[in-house]
Amino acid sequence: MCRGDRSDTADVRLSVLAYATVAAGFAVTVAGALDAAERPLTALALFGAAALAAELLEEPETGRVREPMGPGVFRVASGVDLAAVIVLGPWRGALVAGTAALVARLARGPLRHTAFHASAYALASVAAGYAFSLGGGHTGHLALPDDLVPLTVLALVYLLVSRGLIQIVGGLEVLQPDFAAAAAETGLGAILALFALGHPWNVIAVLPVALAVNRAHARVRRSRHETLHALETFANIVDERDPHTYRHSQRVAGYVDRLARALGLPYSDIDRLRWAARLHDLGKVAVDAAVLGKTRKLTPQEWGTVWRAPRLSARLLRRFELSAAEARAVEYHRERFDGRGYYGIPADDQPLAAHFLVVADSFDAMTSDRPYRPGLAPEQALAEIERNIGTQFHPAVAKAFVAVQRGQDPFSALTPEEQEQLRGASTPYRVPDVPGARDLKERPELVALAGLIAGLAGVGLDQRWLVATGGAVAFLGLVLRAWVRFRANRLARALASALAATDRTRVFEGLSHVLESATGSEWIALVSWQEDGLGGEIELSRGDLSAGDGPHERALMSWLVREAESRDELLTTSGHELGGEGAYLALPLRRENSALTGFVVLRTPRALQRHVGAALSGSLDAIGLALAPGPETAPEQPASAAVG
């Protein structure tokens, strides 16, 4: 199923520009039919049959996918379209693409949407055909590697035109081209074209393989659907534990969805916000149902379980690729704009998407009956939100929410600066690249393989200079790899020497000296971890936290909570995540029984060098045993006094 190839057939009407696209696509298809007149029909018929079969075997699309499914798989039909353009030319290629898409989709949705998608592929095909010619290609001819440039131009134009029309004109979204899928489609198209140019019937040998790959991708996508709906079922179970919160997450998701639509956010962003709201209370599964329905004041222990719920929600969501981007917003859905919420997160560190959840969650809580008080009337709840703008609620989000609930245009209540601020509200939190993470010298095996590939290509092309260059690069890669191993072994010995001390404080001091020398770290800390895995505290550190050498402790604990169950041996993030420049690294500390007892966290100017990462990974068990407190000396933490 193609990510961009989706339309909400139930409630989205095509724009004027979309109808113009349909008219242009119809004209292109008719022109293709006229161009096909009095020409041999064998290749045209075979490509038409292949395109129709590919379209029919695509996942059926009865409506727009209302889920944050990420990039889609490649379309076999697009590969056939590209091959048809190469072999038949732009006009007959457009005839194949448009007609196959139209016929295959007629039974799947309204005619206007079917015609729009068919027109998009027809227009993309004719544009890609002319781009192929302008790039130096010739219809009915493909020779590699001579035609790599025209083939690349063909792929880019087809991708941008088809996805642009479907996503921007038809879906009213921002353009999100999937270059990996496009590369796969182009590769399939090139193979089909090469086979067909030898003899049209050769195409039959390729199609079963392409369709098998497509079905495998479809199964992966269905698995992603099933995972997301399993989480949704989990959220329903949490809601149903307390009759007073029954369907709470569904209502909150509805409020968020309505606000995001009113702000005109792209569908993909609306989906992410909506599902963050839908799953925001998963962590309440750890809260006793009696506590949720209690009418009296909570005890410290009971309050501790409620306090931890948002962090548990974030920890659960972080484990799934589909929901990982929303974990941070979900964790902070109990924060306040003035920084006096559950975890005391400053406003500047709260993602704007979290404020959508805050205001929608609060509105539903105020308007719902609870054991300790009846629900407010909607207007009373909106007035309460207005009274707390700038303290509990984000000003721009709260103003827009109130306006939407009163049936008004949300932008009428916002200043130009607030309007601009909300345009990126739903974009998932993206951590910038860690400085130095992509240095080629840190990946010597890639250098060696690149040299080997270049050398083999030189042999195939009979280019001695390329063979010599490739050999030299491969040798350089092997030398770099040997140097990395040597440095890693030397650092591992230094680490082992530092861990030989018997006192934990001395072990930490020795480890700090070694890591400072190896990484240039500016701040390093030993974090003790609570048994419930939802918080901790800085036990020892080098560097002044108050002077800005290290991260804000609450932000640090928040990051560690989300990543505590990661399968990665070394946890890394950009300094932007926790404040400041550079990068942060966390080494999980475990006992012999694999129980997590803490972390060693350090801040470095750039990503770890390859030899440092290798030495730390190899020494991780020893570091954990040397620094992790034994079960009898582990610090006891009351349930309601977690730090972070």
Side-chain angles (χ1 to χ4, degrees), residues 439-452:
D439 286 357
L440 192 58
K441 67 180 181 180
E442 299 298 333
R443 312 180 98 181
E445 67 281 355
L446 294 183
V447 175
L449 289 174
L452 178 60

Side-chain angles (χ1 to χ4, degrees), residues 619-633:
S619 306
L620 199 57
D621 290 341
I623 295 173
L625 293 176
L627 288 177
E632 70 281 356
T633 61

Side-chain angles (χ1 to χ4, degrees), residues 22 72 262 276 407 419 518 601 618 629:
V22 172
Q419 293 178 22
V601 182

Side-chain angles (χ1 to χ4, degrees), residues 66 257 260-261 265-274 426:
R66 294 299 314 283
D257 184 90
R261 285 174 178 270
L265 299 179
Y267 279 138
S268 55
D269 289 348
I270 294 173
D271 293 342
R272 283 190 286 264
L273 269 177
R274 177 177 175 272
S426 61

Side-chain angles (χ1 to χ4, degrees), residues 153-175:
V153 175
L154 167 83
L156 287 175
V157 171
Y158 182 88
L159 170 70
L160 296 177
V161 174
S162 62
R163 294 337 189 239
L165 288 173
I166 291 172
Q167 293 178 354
I168 299 175
V169 178
L172 303 179
E173 299 191 38
V174 295
L175 178 62

Side-chain angles (χ1 to χ4, degrees), residues 282-567:
L282 285 181
K284 283 187 178 179
V285 70
V287 182
D288 194 295
V291 174
L292 295 175
K294 190 173 181 179
T295 58
R296 300 185 303 277
K297 184 178 180 179
L298 299 180
T299 66
Q301 184 175 3
E302 291 169 340
W303 164 243
T305 62
V306 174
W307 180 87
R308 287 167 170 77
R311 283 200 162 164
L312 181 56
S313 297
R315 197 168 90 179
L316 289 170
L317 295 181
R318 191 66 184 87
R319 302 280 65 79
F320 299 94
E321 180 185 355
L322 294 172
S323 55
E326 286 71 49
R328 192 165 179 263
V330 166
E331 181 185 358
Y332 294 163
H333 82 271
R334 290 289 188 173
E335 293 307 306
R336 292 168 54 100
F337 183 71
D338 58 11
R340 297 170 59 190
Y342 270 27
Y343 309 125
I345 304 298
D348 291 343
D349 293 335
Q350 299 174 25
L352 195 52
H355 294 290
F356 278 62
L357 306 185
V358 171
V359 68
D361 187 57
S362 299
F363 180 75
D364 186 71
M366 286 188 285
T367 55
S368 301
D369 292 332
R370 295 297 170 92
Y372 45 87
R373 54 118 179 106
L376 300 178
E379 189 55 41
Q380 291 177 301
L382 294 176
E384 185 68 18
I385 290 175
E386 288 179 317
R387 280 194 293 272
N388 288 278
I389 286 177
T391 54
Q392 182 176 356
F393 303 110
H394 188 286
V397 176
K399 291 176 186 177
F401 181 86
V402 170
V404 169
Q405 292 301 315
R406 288 174 174 165
Q408 303 168 358
D409 178 7
F411 292 106
S412 64
L414 303 175
T415 65
E417 292 77 13
E418 290 172 336
Q419 293 178 22
E420 184 63 28
Q421 191 177 20
L422 290 185
R423 296 191 193 282
S426 61
T427 302
Y429 185 76
R430 295 185 177 91
V431 178
D433 289 336
V434 176
R438 300 187 179 184
D439 286 357
L440 192 58
K441 67 180 181 180
E442 299 298 333
R443 312 180 98 181
E445 67 281 355
L446 294 183
V447 175
L449 289 174
L452 178 60
I453 292 172
L456 292 174
V459 173
L461 298 173
D462 195 22
Q463 298 291 327
R464 294 184 179 180
W465 68 269
L466 188 56
V467 174
T469 302
V473 171
F475 178 75
L476 176 62
L478 294 176
V479 171
L480 287 175
R481 182 174 175 81
W483 177 241
V484 166
R485 286 187 175 182
F486 171 76
R487 299 182 71 189
N489 292 334
R490 186 174 61 183
L491 179 57
R493 290 192 295 270
L495 290 172
S497 177
L499 299 176
T502 56
D503 181 76
R504 292 178 69 240
T505 302
R506 291 184 177 180
V507 170
F508 175 75
E509 291 294 329
L511 181 65
S512 299
H513 284 300
V514 173
L515 293 179
E516 286 174 0
S517 175
T519 67
S521 58
E522 305 156 345
W523 178 84
I524 184 169
L526 174 62
V527 176
S528 61
W529 206 239
Q530 297 173 5
E531 291 187 4
D532 61 10
L534 296 177
E537 63 180 357
I538 296 176
E539 183 179 348
L540 300 169
S541 68
R542 289 174 60 87
D544 187 358
L545 194 65
S546 62
D549 292 335
H552 193 286
E553 186 168 357
R554 293 189 181 95
L556 173 63
M557 298 308 162
S558 175
W559 173 56
L560 293 177
V561 164
R562 293 194 299 273
E563 300 293 343
E565 294 183 352
S566 172
R567 289 167 292 184

Side-chain angles (χ1 to χ4, degrees), residues 66-68 228-229 232 271-279:
R66 294 299 314 283
E67 299 160 1
L228 196 56
H229 284 289
E232 183 182 25
D271 293 342
R272 283 190 286 264
L273 269 177
R274 177 177 175 272
W275 278 92
R278 188 71 178 86
L279 305 174

